[in-house]
Amino acid sequence: MSVTTQAGVLSHQQGKRLRRRWEAADTVVASSVVLVAGIVAVFVFLCFQGYDTRIEQTRSRAERAAGVVAEGSRWVVSATLAALQGTATQLADGVAPQTVQAGFDRAAASLPVKPSLHIYSASGDLIPSGSAAQEPAAPTVSGADYFEAIRSGRIVSIGYQEGAGESASFSVAQRVERNGSFAGAVVATLPASILSQFALSQDLGPGSTVSVIRADGWIIAREPPLAKPLNLAGTAAMDSLAVGQAGSYVSPGSPADGVARVVGFRHVDGLGYIAVASISRATALAGLWYSIWVVSLLLAPVALALLIGSLLTARVLRRAQASSRSLAEALDRNEQLFREIHHRVKNNLQSVNALLQMHAIPREVRAELGRRIFAMSAVHEHIYRSGDFSDVRVKDYLHTLIAKVRAGANPDIEVVEEIEDVVVDKDAAGPLGLILNEVLSNCFKHAFPVGRAGTVKVSLARAGDGLVRLSVEDNGVGFDPAAPGTGIGRKLVAGFAQQLGGEVSTVSASGSTFTLVFPGK
């Protein structure tokens, strides 16, 4: 064999050793991993499902809150406008500003907060009303977007947030006409904190807001109040608010403070603004995160215990399998040793037979001894070839033995075999073969004188009760069982039968019949 071929064989053998077979321990670990992965997958699926459910519930809640803000703000703004309309009518009729102020206060008395009334001329300058309760006001509103809208022909206009923080406010303006010409505006200023009552009634949780936003994007009022006026025009938030008359969406971050919220909105028809209620996503999901945390604390020890248990079980299985492999290897080595022993015994017996044939002893004696040695060596050959070292199936062995004895006998003698596949102990096979050798040799030698033909029948069968019967029957000249024997054949048969724990009987009538009954397996 070349060096390259040897290297290839060695590499293949090493590869087979390196490739570990899939074992029961691997199945246990894999099953545990798959089970834990399945539990985690179901848990993750339920978490996502819970997240979607919670978001949908929060969106519905935000939409309902936006409806409340819309109705509440509509009432406040509508009541304020009604009071302003009466004031504008009085001014158009030439009623003095002091009288107008008193009438406005009476009309706005039903509002949750008292608005502050200011009267401005057509040029936007403040006209003092003479009321000591009047809040300070800008000396002019010329340039203010809500006043410019009034001056350009609008009847009603709502301004966006003015001021910041707790002092934030917004204005509602009503056009004043006298003799069909623009004569100025009456403006009611309301604190932005008026929305806090709507937010309080909804109990939307920390981080939540309620707002009123003009259609052009300017925030009219917000609770909590903004640090400065803010226009949402051009933002994703405003784009979402413009979709439909009412609805909700999830905002990744508010343009005002960057907080992620679930936003519900509703357009207020006729007043040109949008009522908005938003719930902090962190607040909305706080219960879900808590539930996930609690379930995780429960599942983690279970999953860990399952994995540790599977690893410990796998360790025990691997040790057991290692022991099993060691035992199997030891058994294989023992079988090889037994096979080698039987092979060598067979070879040694053949060597003894060969040496025997070289000695100057009578030919007949050499033949008998040779047959006996062959009977013993054939047992060992049959055992190491079959690989069964505890029991022997004697059918093939006896067939080989009969053929060996038959080879040197009269060819006119027919041998009939009726041998069942009987199993005997390995220690019984040798004596059984030697007994058959002696009996069959005597048949060929004495039952048929020279030139006479005949038949020898050899049968082996189970006899019941765990016994086995061997019989050799011929139709030869017969013999007298009581006559003394001249050789050692009878002694050998008696000795081997005793070794087998069997009983021997011989009948001579129209030939002879030899029977041996002994315990089987």
Side-chain angles (χ1 to χ4, degrees):
M1 183 182 293
S2 66
V3 176
T4 303
T5 304
Q6 291 177 345
V9 172
L10 291 175
S11 175
H12 177 69
Q13 292 175 348
Q14 291 173 353
K16 289 182 67 178
R17 286 194 295 268
L18 290 175
R19 289 194 300 270
R20 186 171 61 83
R21 293 180 300 173
W22 186 270
E23 298 176 343
D26 301 310
T27 302
V28 171
V29 174
S31 300
S32 299
V33 171
V34 170
L35 180 59
V36 171
I39 293 174
V40 172
V42 171
F43 176 63
V44 171
F45 171 76
L46 293 177
C47 289
F48 277 104
Q49 190 178 54
Y51 176 87
D52 293 338
T53 301
R54 188 61 60 89
I55 290 295
E56 286 301 317
Q57 292 174 346
T58 305
R59 291 181 65 164
S60 298
R61 186 181 177 192
E63 290 179 21
R64 291 193 300 270
V68 172
V69 174
E71 294 305 317
S73 64
R74 182 199 299 274
W75 172 69
V76 171
V77 173
S78 297
T80 302
L81 284 173
L84 288 176
Q85 287 173 358
T87 302
T89 301
Q90 289 179 327
L91 288 173
D93 293 338
V95 178
Q98 294 84 350
T99 304
V100 169
Q101 177 68 55
F104 176 82
D105 291 341
R106 287 193 300 271
S110 62
L111 294 174
V113 294
K114 181 181 179 181
S116 177
L117 176 66
H118 304 285
I119 304 172
Y120 292 92
S121 65
S123 61
D125 297 327
L126 178 65
I127 300 175
S129 64
S131 174
Q134 186 179 27
E135 296 291 334
T140 180
V141 291
S142 179
D145 71 333
Y146 65 88
F147 183 78
E148 295 302 322
I150 292 293
R151 180 152 47 189
S152 64
R154 291 186 62 177
I155 304 300
V156 175
S157 180
I158 302 176
Y160 56 79
Q161 175 182 315
E162 299 174 359
E166 297 299 328
S167 62
S169 63
F170 66 95
S171 299
V172 179
Q174 170 74 42
R175 182 184 176 91
V176 178
E177 292 185 350
R178 188 178 289 115
N179 299 323
S181 299
F182 176 63
V186 286
V187 179
T189 303
L190 294 100
S193 60
I194 192 173
L195 295 181
S196 63
Q197 299 182 32
F198 307 138
L200 184 64
S201 67
Q202 295 302 301
D203 190 22
L204 301 178
S208 302
T209 68
V210 293
S211 308
V212 177
I213 304 172
R214 286 195 333 196
D216 61 357
W218 282 102
I219 295 179
I220 298 173
R222 181 179 184 269
E223 177 61 34
L226 294 171
K228 61 180 180 179
L230 178 64
N231 190 350
L232 301 181
T235 64
M238 197 62 198
D239 293 338
S240 299
L241 293 174
V243 178
Q245 285 296 109
S248 61
Y249 66 94
V250 179
S251 171
S254 169
D257 53 18
V259 176
R261 293 185 175 93
V262 178
V263 181
F265 64 91
R266 179 174 294 184
H267 290 247
V268 180
D269 297 331
L271 296 178
Y273 66 82
I274 307 168
V276 177
S278 65
I279 302 173
S280 169
R281 193 163 61 180
T283 300
L285 298 176
L288 176 64
W289 299 139
Y290 177 76
S291 300
I292 291 175
W293 173 249
V294 171
V295 175
S296 298
L297 290 179
L298 294 176
L299 284 181
V302 174
L304 185 61
L306 182 61
L307 290 175
I308 292 176
S310 66
L311 291 175
L312 293 177
T313 303
R315 184 178 179 183
V316 172
L317 288 174
R318 286 196 177 98
R319 287 182 175 177
Q321 288 170 345
S323 300
S324 178
R325 284 194 295 269
S326 298
L327 291 175
E329 292 172 358
L331 178 61
D332 185 65
R333 287 194 297 270
N334 289 339
E335 289 181 353
Q336 294 295 333
L337 290 174
F338 276 120
R339 186 175 283 108
E340 181 66 20
I341 289 172
H342 284 286
H343 183 64
R344 293 195 178 192
V345 169
K346 187 265 296 187
N347 289 342
N348 290 338
L349 288 173
Q350 289 180 343
S351 298
V352 169
N353 189 34
L355 291 173
L356 180 64
Q357 301 302 320
M358 297 173 61
H359 282 70
I361 57 178
R363 178 178 179 182
E364 184 177 348
V365 174
R366 279 204 309 269
E368 290 181 358
L369 292 176
R371 285 193 296 271
R372 291 165 182 163
I373 293 175
F374 176 80
M376 291 185 290
S377 67
V379 173
H380 294 285
E381 182 176 11
H382 179 76
I383 290 175
Y384 86 74
R385 289 188 183 278
S386 66
D388 191 347
F389 303 106
S390 58
D391 299 325
V392 179
R393 293 185 177 276
V394 296
K395 181 175 182 179
D396 292 339
Y397 163 59
L398 295 183
H399 176 74
T400 301
L401 185 61
I402 292 171
K404 178 66 177 178
V405 177
R406 176 74 178 79
N410 182 359
D412 294 330
I413 300 175
E414 180 184 3
V415 177
V416 178
E417 299 181 24
E418 293 181 358
I419 301 176
E420 295 182 9
D421 195 13
V422 175
V423 178
V424 301
D425 188 84
K426 65 180 185 304
D427 294 329
L432 178 63
L434 289 170
I435 290 175
L436 180 60
N437 174 74
E438 293 298 326
V439 174
L440 197 57
S441 296
N442 283 335
C443 284
F444 288 134
K445 183 177 179 180
H446 302 291
F448 303 98
V450 177
R452 179 171 176 172
T455 301
V456 177
K457 180 180 178 182
V458 180
S459 61
L460 181 74
R462 296 176 181 85
D465 296 330
L467 299 176
V468 178
R469 176 182 290 106
L470 171 68
S471 64
V472 180
E473 181 181 356
D474 66 71
N475 57 358
V477 297
F479 75 102
D480 183 6
T486 58
I488 64 172
R490 291 188 184 182
K491 294 181 180 179
L492 289 175
V493 169
F496 290 138
Q498 185 178 5
Q499 185 176 343
L500 288 174
E503 296 181 358
V504 174
S505 63
T506 303
V507 177
S508 179
S510 300
S512 61
T513 302
F514 170 85
T515 303
L516 168 66
V517 179
F518 64 97
K521 291 288 288 187

